[in-house]
């Protein structure tokens, strides 16, 4: 039981679980906001895995304290990497959401099937024009 | 001149541009090209320095390699930097509504691309790769058309998912080895020969393959190229897809040479060639044909990379170089024609120069001697027959069958161009675009000087792997030998 | 000017450049004729240097391979024919035809120059890499020549291209395979390496190269592209293509089968189940290539298509002759290359002239032109006698040599097959000349005149060559022997009038003299003995008790040989046609599928699937 | 079918992921480089917080890259979004308590952000965290009252200045130390003091401002997009029938 619930299994298992949950959202959902959120969940899982890679049992956080006795410290590099990765994820997510808002405004849908049909329709075809009208004249303003 | 400036200067300029634009609106127009031009000069100087004194390793911030981030000022990195700056300068988009923001994005793209070309640190590669990716999401949406936005969002989702997987791969590598420096990782092939290392390679191929247009991570390619300005399509198909390959090239040359995971890249490449060429055969408008053909070409590059060895790498480089010059020119030439293939009839008689050059460039993609594309294909086949022990016939057969399909659709277009149609009335169509002419001239120079370029590419590949070249099918070299090799590196 | 290969190539490429710049000028045809004549002169001057090989100073270093060129006897023989065919084609196009007859004389002159240059480059190759480069250039130059007339020619050329590219890539695969395995690409090095390789490897190489070269030669079963592609080309282009273009495939096959593998090794290569050896296999393929296309030619109603189908069949004699392996057979096969080029060029030129005047080559819409275009008629008469392989023309000599060689070597079945092919040829050339020149002149053609000298000149000159080399085959055998010895065979014992072998000899001087004497006597009796015929208009006559009117056709041309064709049946062609259609349909389906794959809405699933399958593949 | 396939592949992925992760040495991190950094950090950078040392000194280029990503994402978002006139939002203005609370929190958030940024080299925290707090200081009031004008002009200058400072400090070090982005040209200083660890505090300040400004402008871009009448999260009918 202890074996199974060791901190390592919890961290790595949790990370893998987050990745799989996020992947489910990405592959099985049609709504693009959900898909984007799925990507965010995957990133969280990957970040967790990265941090877990620097774990050492009983080690301190990598901040030196002149008063404290210097013991082993955890690896500071993954922590820095994760900081960077989080910010990158935020930036991409924000850009994706902006695009999604704009698309929704123009076409009135974020359904991936409908959007694929629009983007693959030959220019000027009835399909693309119909979708434009449905979205209303919002984007001329 | 320090090669780091190649990264710093465009980023600095990009940071300052939004503020400068508020002082004087015209800054948004000339600022970007000017800075890229300056960057090009610096890149050329740095490239020349490498020619004189050989490849250099740069410890960023003065922290020596494994601790800090290492930049490689080597033949490959600086050649790519020069080409990137040149391509961005030539293919600066014109028809965008928001010039200042596009300038900012392109400046970032330039700086990040230079960083990507030189970085020798796994995570730093990832950061620059993401930077390039975000910049291209922006570029893809730059013209503000609804379809372009959709294409950009779909591209972003694929890209973000791929990046997450690549990061997972990097995490695996780090957890296994505790280092991110490529040189040091190259000496740890023992640790990376287990499932974690192989799996990491697969994940990174998936992640970086999104940008490199590898099958099946490339669904964004036809959508994006069909709806962006032709210059942006040319830029993305021409040089940015090569940056993804460049990352893979460095990884394979320095760390994962001979890894069983390369078989994945091999099949991804073959399927890319086959599906890309077939889809191009089925496509009905020019932009899509060119986009699909790009997928096929990148598939060839991937096959060459996966085979590795000197021949494989040179084949990959020459195929990339060929595609880099040919595809932008094709996009630009085709820009003056109607998009639908049906409407092309007789257009070649109205614009014979453009049409003839279109055919010539297509011939190089198909691989007709003595054009550079032929040498790429020849070396690729050479690498296959040399390195693949089983199934070489199948591989060659698939690739060559795809090439026949490629010739079929390009010459269906050519026949239509020179076929009968109402050509006479449209003689007012402008001639060859100047930028396309530049690409064509560069292409012709490459065709004439293939021998010299080949010699240089050999040097590039040797600069990539100073220690003994690892053959694709051989086992990992023993660690001691590669440590020795590492000592002499750079 | 010192004659050298460099000079030859410089002339050829200089001609190409000149035509690119000045091809629209009315004098362009004349200029290019001069340049072809100069190339011919250089070739003749090169003859003594051939024994050691006439090397070129042109050399490139690419990726560690050095490319250089050297002309040997075999290449020289083909080069002479190439330049000659180009000369006569250019002559035909230089005057009236070139100025008014085609959409763009510029396109014709440029593509002709490009073809000649590419072929010379190919024929002067001394390793497989340069061979392949030349090969591809020939393919694309040929394509450019075929598309120039537009319309249906574009479709035909497209088909040619698909076949040509596929064949070229098969060659490429073989070249790279050889380079990797043998470590070198020089002809000598490869020939030295070949004996040591395994049987499986040999079969693989023979298949790849054989398919590649065979496609160009329109060897069965890859013959479907050629007739349409050549037939739809404009007159002089068809003449050039028909005369020599496909023979590049023969050139490649000769290098492969004779120089690389060797006939002896071919004998040892046994097919797994049937026990047939590879040489017999090739010979039977050659025989089928003679017979089947020849009988397809019978069915054609377009004169140019009929000729083009014949062109395919005649290729079979050449390879068949060489594969016999005796001095006589090889000489016969190679001589047939020369002879065939002469009369095929004449035939296409004549049809070009007919099309120039009447606007059609459809056999149902022609007839009786003998009175309007007598010179063209004479030229065609000479040429079809040559094509049919009857004395006194040159086609008879080479075919006779092949027959005799087959019999001498104890291959009677193949002999019968070859003769059946000749029978088909005779039937169809009769159909040709009958439907075009004999019989009833159509009303709409009553006003036409003979073509100008610029067009009948080359026709007549070439048909004289057809006759003279039939009368004195030794003249052509001089050229053939250069190629024959270069291939490594012993020279044939020949003289001006024919040849001498252990089992018999042939002296055309005597044969033709007797023939001419007989004809002279006949003509004398006819002319001196009171030629009382009176010339009347063709409708000033009656048939079946009725006066003739323009609506009544008394010239039988529709469904010529209908009974015979019902007997033969079309099964053999539809099989390959269906295969072709099947491959096209499969490609279309796969293309639609791939396109759909890239239009899927669920792109992340593909990525996930790729990742999972990739991990499963490598872990 | 599609759902089935995706589930199948998900299980496959989960399986392979467990195989990959199972092979990792948990708790026994190799620390090939990490150990060296822990040992050399104080000497090399003078920063008590080793993460800061890694982030700004050892891997400064990554940090530059990431803040550029934020910047370029904000720029691209600004390009994509269609602007709405100020004050015509359909989103309702918050109630009094929220409005007043947001105004009230502004100075506290500002100070907290500044503190976190400036002590980044000594304690947990730093430019990103502090920058996020700074951004929050600005957009909490904005969220409470979406119609109010956003200080785009000032923001642009802060953005430009902060980003440029980061790079210029790097370029400056070329002249002092010979290396790009060498942070120690100001000397490591006395360990544990606020003014120590070379240019790290300066870098962190620039980083914090930049991150704050970028996050702020990203939120502003999203907020500036005209809202839609339809709720955004709305699963299509077909997908609900799973």
């Amino acid at each position: 039981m202890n074996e199974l619930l060791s901190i390592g299994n919890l961290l790595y298992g949790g990370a893998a679980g987050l990745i799989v949950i996020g992947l489910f959202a990405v592959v099985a959902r049609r709504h693009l906001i959900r898909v984007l959120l799925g990507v965010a969940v995957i990133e969280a899982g990957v970040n967790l895995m990265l941090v877990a890679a620097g774990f050492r049992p009983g080690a301190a956080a990598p901040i030196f304290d002149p008063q404290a006795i210097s013991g082993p410290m955890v690896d500071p590099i993954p922590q820095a990497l994760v900081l960077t990765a989080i910010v990158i994820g935020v930036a991409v997510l924000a850009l994706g959401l902006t695009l999604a808002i704009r698309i929704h405004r123009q076409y009135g849908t974020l359904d991936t099937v409908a959007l694929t049909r629009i983007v693959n329709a030959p220019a000027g075809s009835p399909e693309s024009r119909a979708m434009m009208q449905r979205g209303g004249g919002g984007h001329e303003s | 001149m320090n090669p780091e400036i190649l990264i710093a200067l465009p980023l600095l300029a990009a940071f300052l541009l939004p503020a400068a634009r508020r002082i004087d609106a015209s800054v948004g127009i000339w600022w970007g090209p000017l800075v890229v031009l300056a960057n090009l000069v610096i890149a050329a100087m740095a490239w020349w320095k490498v020619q004189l004194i050989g490849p250099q390793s740069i410890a960023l911030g003065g922290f020596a390699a494994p601790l800090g981030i290492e930049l490689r000022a080597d033949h490959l990195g600086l050649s790519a930097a020069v080409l990137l700056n040149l391509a961005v300068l030539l293919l600066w988009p014109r028809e965008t509504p928001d010039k200042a923001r596009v300038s900012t994005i392109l400046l970032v793209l330039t700086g990040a691309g230079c960083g990507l070309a030189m970085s020798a640190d796994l995570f730093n590669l990832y950061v620059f790769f993401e930077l390039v990716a975000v910049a291209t999401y922006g570029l893809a949406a730059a013209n503000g058309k609804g379809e372009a936005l959709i294409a950009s969002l779909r591209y972003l989702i694929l890209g973000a998912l791929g990046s997450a997987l690549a990061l997972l791969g990097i995490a695996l590598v780090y957890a296994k080895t505790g280092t991110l420096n490529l040189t040091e990782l190259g000496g740890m092939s023992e640790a990376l020969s287990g499932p974690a290392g192989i799996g990491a390679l697969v994940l990174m191929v998936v992640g970086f393959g999104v940008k490199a247009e590898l099958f099946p991570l490339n669904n964004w390619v036809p959508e994006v190229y069909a709806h962006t300005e032709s210059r942006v399509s040319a830029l993305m198909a021409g040089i940015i897809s090569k940056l993804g390959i460049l990352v893979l090239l460095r990884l394979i040359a320095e760390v994962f040479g001979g890894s069983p995971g390369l078989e994945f890249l091999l099949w991804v490449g073959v399927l890319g060639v086959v599906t890309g060429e077939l889809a191009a055969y089925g496509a009905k408008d020019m932009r899509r044909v060119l986009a699909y053909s790009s997928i096929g070409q990148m598939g060839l590059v991937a096959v060459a990379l996966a085979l590795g060895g000197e021949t494989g790498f040179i084949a990959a480089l020459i195929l990339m170089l060929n595609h880099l010059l040919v595809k932008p020119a094709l996009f630009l030439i085709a820009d003056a024609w109607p998009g639908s293939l049906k409407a092309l009839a007789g257009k070649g008689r109205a614009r014979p120069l453009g049409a003839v050059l279109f055919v010539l460039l297509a011939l190089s993609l198909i691989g007709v001697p003595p054009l550079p594309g032929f040498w790429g294909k020849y070396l690729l086949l050479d690498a296959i027959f040399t390195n693949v022990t089983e199934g070489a016939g199948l591989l060659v057969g698939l690739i060559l069958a795809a090439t026949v399909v490629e010739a079929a659709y390009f010459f269906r277009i050519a026949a239509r161009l020179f076929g009968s149609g109402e050509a006479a009335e449209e003689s007012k169509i402008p001639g060859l675009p100047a930028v396309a002419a530049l690409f064509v001239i560069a292409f012709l120079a490459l065709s004439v000087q293939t021998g010299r370029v080949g010699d240089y590419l050999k040097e590039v590949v040797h600069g990539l792997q100073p220690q003994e070249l690892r053959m694709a099918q051989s086992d990992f070299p023993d660690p001691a030998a590669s440590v020795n090799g590492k000592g002499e590196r750079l | 000017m010192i004659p050298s290969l460099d000079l030859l190539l410089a002339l050829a490429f200089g001609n190409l450049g000149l035509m690119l710049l000045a091809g629209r000028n009315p004098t362009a045809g004349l200029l290019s004729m001069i340049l072809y004549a100069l190339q011919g002169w250089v070739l003749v001057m090169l003859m003594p240097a051939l024994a050691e090989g006439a090397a070129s100073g042109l050399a490139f270093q690419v990726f560690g391979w050095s490319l250089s060129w050297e002309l040997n006897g075999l290449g020289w023989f083909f080069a002479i024919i190439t330049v000659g065919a180009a000369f006569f084609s250019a002559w035909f196009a230089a005057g009236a035809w070139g100025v008014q007859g085609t959409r763009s004389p510029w396109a014709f002159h440029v593509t002709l120059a490009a073809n000649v240059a590419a072929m010379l480059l190919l024929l002067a190759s001394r390793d497989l890499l340069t061979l392949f480069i030349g090969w591809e250039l020939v393919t694309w130059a040929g394509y450019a020549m075929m598309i120039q007339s537009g319309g249906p020619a574009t479709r035909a050329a497209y088909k040619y291209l698909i076949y040509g590219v596929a064949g070229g890539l098969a060659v490429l695969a073989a070249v790279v395979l050889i380079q990797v395995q043998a470590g070198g690409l020089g002809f000598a090095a490869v020939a030295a390496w070949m004996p040591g390789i395994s049987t499986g490897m040999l079969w693989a190489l023979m298949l790849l190269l054989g398919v590649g070269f065979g496609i160009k030669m329109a060897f069965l079963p890859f013959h479907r592209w050629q007739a349409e592609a050549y037939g739809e080309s404009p007159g002089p282009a068809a003449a050039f293509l028909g005369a020599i273009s496909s023979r590049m495939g023969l050139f490649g096959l000769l290098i492969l089968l004779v120089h690389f593998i060797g006939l002896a090794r071919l004998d040892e290569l046994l097919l797994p189940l049937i026990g047939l050896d590879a040489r017999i296999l090739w010979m039977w393929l050659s025989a089928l290539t003679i017979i089947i296309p020849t009988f397809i030619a019978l069915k054609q109603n377009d004169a140019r298509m009929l000729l083009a189908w014949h062109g395919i069949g005649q290729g079979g004699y050449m390879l068949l002759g060489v594969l016999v392996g005796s001095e006589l057979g090889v000489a016969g096969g190679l001589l047939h290359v020369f002879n065939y080029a002469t009369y095929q060029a004449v035939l296409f030129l004549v049809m070009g002239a007919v099309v120039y005047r009447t606007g059609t080559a459809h056999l149902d819409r022609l007839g009786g032109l003998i009175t309007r275009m007598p010179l063209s008629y004479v030229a065609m008469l000479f040429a079809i006698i040559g094509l049919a392989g009857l004395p006194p023309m040159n086609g008879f000599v080479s075919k006779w040599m092949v027959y005799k060689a087959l019999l001498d070597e104890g291959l009677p079945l193949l002999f019968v097959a070859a003769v059946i092919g000749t029978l088909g040829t005779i039937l169809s050339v009769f159909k040709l000349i009958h439907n075009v020149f004999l019989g009833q002149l159509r009303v709409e053609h009553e006003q036409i005149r003979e073509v100008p000298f610029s067009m009948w000149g080359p026709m007549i000159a070439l048909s004289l060559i057809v006759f003279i080399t039939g009368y004195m085959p030794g003249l052509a055998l001089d050229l053939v022997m250069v190629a024959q010895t270069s291939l490594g065979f012993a020279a044939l014992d020949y003289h001006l009038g024919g040849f001498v072998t252990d089992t018999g000899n042939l002296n055309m001087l005597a044969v033709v003299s007797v023939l001419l004497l007989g004809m002279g006597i006949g003509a004398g009796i006819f002319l001196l003995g009171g030629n009382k015929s009176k010339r009347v208009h063709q409708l000033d006559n009656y048939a079946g008790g009725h006066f003739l009117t323009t609506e009544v056709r008394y010239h039988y041309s529709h469904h010529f040989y209908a009974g015979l064709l019902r007997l033969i049946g079309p099964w053999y062609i539809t099989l390959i046609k269906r295969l072709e259609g099947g491959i096209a349909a499969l490609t279309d389906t796969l293309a639609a599928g791939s396109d759909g794959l890239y239009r899927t809405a669920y792109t992340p699933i593909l990525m996930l699937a790729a990742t999972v399958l990739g991990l499963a593949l490598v872990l | 079918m599609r759902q089935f396939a995706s589930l199948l592949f998900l299980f496959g992925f989960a399986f392979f992921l467990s195989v990959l992760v199972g092979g990792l040495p948990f708790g026994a991190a190799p620390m090939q480089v990490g150990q060296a950094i822990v040992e050399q950090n104080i000497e090399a950078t003078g920063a008590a917080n080793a993460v800061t040392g890694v982030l700004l000194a050892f891997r400064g280029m990554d940090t530059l890259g990431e803040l550029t990503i934020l910047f370029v994402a904000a720029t691209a978002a600004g390009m994509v979004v269609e602007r709405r006139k100020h004050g015509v939002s359909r989103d309702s203005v918050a109630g009094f308590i929220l409005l007043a609370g947001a105004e009230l929190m502004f100075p506290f958030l500002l100070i907290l952000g500044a503190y976190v940024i400036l002590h980044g080299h000594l304690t947990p925290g730093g430019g990103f965290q502090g920058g996020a707090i700074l951004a929050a200081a600005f957009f909490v009031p904005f969220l409470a009252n979406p119609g109010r004008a956003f200080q785009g002009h000032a923001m642009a200058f802060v953005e430009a200045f902060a980003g440029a400072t980061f790079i210029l400090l790097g370029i400056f070090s070329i002249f002092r130390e010979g290396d790009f982005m060498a942070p120690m040209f100001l000397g490591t200083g006395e360990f544990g003091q606020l003014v120590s660890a070379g240019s790290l505090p300066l870098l962190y300040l620039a980083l914090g401002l930049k991150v704050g400004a970028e996050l702020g402008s990203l939120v502003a871009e999203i907020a500036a997009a005209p809202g839609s009448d339809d709720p955004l999260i709305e699963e299509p009918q077909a997908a609900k029938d799973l």
Side-chain angles (χ1 to χ4, degrees), chain C residues 359-432:
Chain C
T360 180
H362 202 282
L363 289 175
D364 294 351
R365 299 196 196 113
L366 292 166
L369 289 175
I370 181 170
T371 54
R372 315 307 311 161
M373 304 172 74
L375 287 170
S376 302
Y377 168 73
V378 171
M380 181 182 263
L381 185 65
F382 277 41
I384 62 163
I385 297 175
L387 180 57
L390 300 174
M393 300 304 166
N394 58 9
F396 167 73
V397 184
S398 46
K399 281 194 183 174
W400 181 263
M401 287 159 86
V402 174
Y403 299 152
K404 185 161 167 55
L406 284 170
L407 287 176
D408 284 352
E409 297 297 311
L411 299 162
L413 280 177
L414 281 167
F415 165 74
V416 171
V419 171
I420 290 176
T422 297
L423 284 177
T425 313
I426 295 172
L427 288 175
S428 59
V429 294
F430 174 68
K431 173 179 175 180
L432 176 70

Side-chain angles (χ1 to χ4, degrees), chain B residues 341-480:
Chain B
L341 290 188
K342 273 196 188 123
L344 278 181
K347 294 290 178 288
R349 291 184 189 270
R351 272 187 67 191
L353 181 62
V356 165
L357 287 177
F358 185 91
V359 172
L360 179 76
L361 296 168
L363 282 179
S364 186
L365 284 187
I366 297 167
V368 174
L371 299 173
F374 161 71
W375 296 108
K377 255 182 197 155
Y378 190 94
L379 287 163
L380 176 63
L381 294 188
D382 187 339
I384 292 177
F385 280 127
T386 314
N387 292 339
V388 180
T389 42
E390 274 173 52
L394 177 67
L395 264 183
V396 171
L398 281 175
I399 289 174
L400 294 187
T403 307
V404 174
V405 175
E406 192 177 20
Y409 67 75
F410 267 125
F411 278 83
R412 205 168 43 188
I413 294 176
R416 209 161 273 165
L417 278 174
F418 290 103
S420 48
E422 67 290 359
E425 302 92 62
E426 295 187 43
S427 51
K428 272 176 280 175
I429 297 176
L432 189 66
V435 178
L438 285 178
F439 275 93
V440 170
I441 290 168
F443 167 76
L444 292 177
L446 175 64
S447 313
V448 175
Q449 289 296 335
T450 314
R452 266 192 213 170
V453 174
D455 293 341
Y456 181 65
L457 292 182
K458 201 170 267 184
E459 206 175 321
V460 168
V461 170
H462 282 299
L464 215 53
Q465 284 177 306
Q467 72 268 62
E468 212 178 328
L469 280 166
R470 300 177 203 128
M471 297 315 273
Q473 292 301 309
S474 67
D475 286 322
F476 284 99
D478 67 315

Side-chain angles (χ1 to χ4, degrees), chain D residues 85-233:
Chain D
K85 290 189 191 77
H86 291 304
V88 293
S89 170
R90 269 165 294 187
D91 304 329
S92 55
V93 175
F96 170 74
I97 295 183
L98 202 50
L99 272 175
E103 297 289 337
L104 210 60
M105 277 171 73
F106 179 72
F108 292 105
L109 284 174
L110 218 55
I111 291 170
L112 179 63
Y115 177 85
V116 170
I117 292 173
L118 288 174
H119 286 75
H121 58 298
L122 302 174
T123 57
F128 292 110
Q129 298 87 329
I133 296 172
L134 277 189
F138 282 96
F139 66 68
V140 164
F142 181 76
L143 286 181
N145 180 8
R148 77 186 262 169
F150 207 72
Q151 292 297 320
H153 205 70
M155 190 84 95
F157 278 98
V158 171
E159 254 183 82
F161 171 74
T165 306
F166 198 91
I167 296 180
L168 286 173
L169 279 173
I171 294 178
F172 188 59
S173 77
I174 293 183
F175 301 108
R176 297 297 296 264
E177 301 264 301
D179 289 309
F180 180 62
M181 299 189 88
M184 287 307 120
F185 58 90
L186 295 177
T188 46
E190 191 183 338
F191 175 74
Q193 295 300 306
L194 187 60
V195 181
S196 68
S199 63
L200 294 193
L202 281 179
L203 286 174
Y204 244 164
L205 190 60
L207 185 65
L209 287 177
K210 181 86 178 161
V211 168
E214 296 301 350
L215 283 179
S217 65
L218 261 175
V219 172
E221 301 296 359
I222 293 177
S228 167
D229 300 330
D230 315 318
L232 271 176
I233 300 289

Side-chain angles (χ1 to χ4, degrees), chain B residues 214-261:
Chain B
L214 297 184
F215 176 87
L217 325 162
N218 46 15
N219 294 72
W220 60 272
V221 171
E223 295 171 11
V224 169
Y225 291 1
H227 295 300
T228 54
E229 190 194 334
S230 66
R231 284 167 170 251
V232 173
S233 302
L235 187 65
M236 289 171 78
I239 185 89
I240 295 174
S241 60
K242 309 300 177 298
L243 291 177
I245 289 285
L246 211 63
V247 177
L248 291 178
L249 175 61
R250 256 196 214 287
L251 285 180
I252 293 167
E254 307 210 0
V255 182
F256 289 101
S259 166

Side-chain angles (χ1 to χ4, degrees), chain C residues 63-85:
Chain C
F63 297 103
W65 296 296
S66 53
L67 306 181
S68 59
W69 284 266
E70 181 184 281
L71 192 64
N72 62 14
L74 186 66
W76 179 87
F77 174 64
F78 282 89
I80 283 270
I81 302 173
T82 305
V83 172

